Amino acid sequence: MANHTYRVSEIVGTSTESINDAINNGIRRASTTLRHVSWFEVTQVRGQIEDGAVAHYQVGMKIGFRIED
């Protein structure tokens, strides 16, 4: 197995449906512009409240992607 070096970017995924959807939306979008996306770490969870209910989820993440050789 070869040694790899990774770079980390911080992103925020959003969704009106759920935290899980916010994570998946962020990863899906990051994967369209970054190659070799390998892992993520959730660093923040927050949301917007409207009329006493959650209206929007925001999930801060670190995304790790492998630097090409």
Side-chain angles (χ1 to χ4, degrees):
M1 185 163 135
N3 293 325
H4 297 292
T5 300
Y6 294 87
R7 179 159 183 130
V8 177
S9 282
E10 292 191 51
I11 65 168
V12 176
T14 63
S15 172
T16 57
E17 300 300 317
S18 69
I19 291 170
N20 208 32
D21 279 348
I23 292 169
N24 285 319
N25 290 341
I27 291 170
R28 188 176 306 110
R29 180 64 179 96
S31 294
T32 65
T33 58
L34 300 172
R35 290 191 300 255
H36 311 297
V37 174
S38 299
W39 56 268
F40 74 98
E41 173 188 351
V42 172
T43 57
Q44 300 175 343
V45 176
R46 61 182 172 267
Q48 181 180 0
I49 299 169
E50 293 178 4
D51 299 322
V54 176
H56 206 92
Y57 299 90
Q58 296 180 334
V59 179
M61 295 175 275
K62 291 182 180 181
I63 300 288
F65 57 98
R66 186 172 39 88
I67 296 174
E68 292 180 340
D69 295 331

